[in-house]
């Protein structure tokens, strides 16, 4: 459902072509994606789930999936975040999708970050992995901000 179809750059090229060829449909896809982000940020789990189930899975673009996951994590809605992660969100960074854990470690207070890191560890994500296009690892951000992650 939230998986990347090929790679992020392929998805973006397809969406760019759709904007040129069918502007009305591209606006509809964009509006549906923005609604996902708003519902996730507000923690409206039931409405988010209903909206996702009503959408065609091919209409859920990776950009909106990443933004919705980030909004749910920053809002502290870990149940909604878990739903996104368990329904195909790619923890494999080879698809070109930046990992939201970097942003969480940069923006949130440390007590919020610990629960987010615990969530990612429970889903099998290696927090010591280096992110594509960045020389730092997630653990580096925690050291810079004095976030204690080793009590996990």
């Amino acid at each position: 459902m939230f998986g990347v179809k090929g790679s992020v750059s392929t998805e973006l090229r397809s969406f760019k072509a759709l904007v040129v060829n069918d502007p009305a449909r591209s606006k509809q896809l964009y509006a549906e994606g923005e609604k996902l982000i708003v519902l996730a940020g507000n923690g409206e789990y039931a409405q988010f789930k209903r909206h996702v189930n009503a959408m065609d899975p091919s209409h859920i673009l990776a950009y909106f999936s990443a933004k919705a996951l980030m909004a749910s994590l920053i809002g502290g809605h870990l149940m909604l975040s878990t739903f996104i992660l368990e329904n195909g969100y790619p923890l494999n960074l080879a698809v070109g999708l930046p990992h939201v854990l970097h942003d969480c470690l940069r923006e949130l207070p440390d007590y919020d970050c610990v629960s987010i890191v615990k969530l990612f560890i429970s889903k099998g994500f290696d927090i010591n992995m280096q992110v594509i296009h960045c020389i730092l690892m997630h653990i580096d951000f925690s050291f810079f901000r004095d976030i204690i992650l080793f009590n996990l």
Side-chain angles (χ1 to χ4, degrees), residues 111-143:
Y111 52 85
D112 289 337
C113 289
V114 170
S115 60
I116 291 169
V117 170
K118 282 182 182 179
L119 173 67
F120 280 113
I121 289 172
S122 74
K123 299 300 171 195
F125 181 72
D126 179 12
I127 62 167
N128 294 318
M129 179 174 36
Q130 184 176 352
V131 175
I132 299 169
H133 307 298
C134 183
I135 61 169
L136 300 174
M137 296 184 290
H138 303 300
I139 202 82
D140 295 325
F141 283 102
S142 67
F143 288 133

Side-chain angles (χ1 to χ4, degrees), residues 4-152:
V4 177
K5 296 86 184 162
S7 71
V8 174
S9 58
T10 304
E11 263 190 24
L12 290 175
R13 277 193 298 268
S14 298
F15 187 73
K16 183 179 177 182
L18 184 64
V19 169
V20 172
N21 298 329
D22 191 355
R25 184 160 180 250
S26 66
K27 284 182 183 178
Q28 178 191 6
L29 286 178
Y30 188 83
E32 287 178 350
E34 285 294 315
K35 186 173 181 182
L36 283 177
I37 296 167
V38 170
L39 292 173
N42 293 337
E44 298 177 28
Y45 182 77
Q47 287 182 338
F48 181 86
K49 226 174 142 176
R50 261 186 262 126
H51 183 65
V52 166
N53 290 332
M55 289 177 72
D56 180 349
S58 66
H59 292 179
I60 303 174
L61 303 178
Y63 171 82
F64 295 113
S65 299
K67 292 289 185 183
L69 179 59
M70 183 69 188
S72 67
L73 290 169
I74 287 179
H77 311 295
L78 297 184
M79 191 168 151
L80 204 146
S81 303
T82 302
F83 174 77
I84 294 170
L85 291 170
E86 288 179 350
N87 283 285
Y89 186 87
L91 287 177
N92 171 10
L93 302 180
V95 296
L97 194 62
H99 203 280
V100 296
L101 186 53
H102 260 79
D103 295 326
C104 290
L105 291 172
R106 276 189 225 137
E107 294 181 23
L108 293 173
D110 59 346
Y111 52 85
D112 289 337
C113 289
V114 170
S115 60
I116 291 169
V117 170
K118 282 182 182 179
L119 173 67
F120 280 113
I121 289 172
S122 74
K123 299 300 171 195
F125 181 72
D126 179 12
I127 62 167
N128 294 318
M129 179 174 36
Q130 184 176 352
V131 175
I132 299 169
H133 307 298
C134 183
I135 61 169
L136 300 174
M137 296 184 290
H138 303 300
I139 202 82
D140 295 325
F141 283 102
S142 67
F143 288 133
F144 294 148
R145 297 229 6 251
D146 293 327
I147 300 171
I148 301 171
L149 298 178
F150 52 81
N151 284 333
L152 303 173

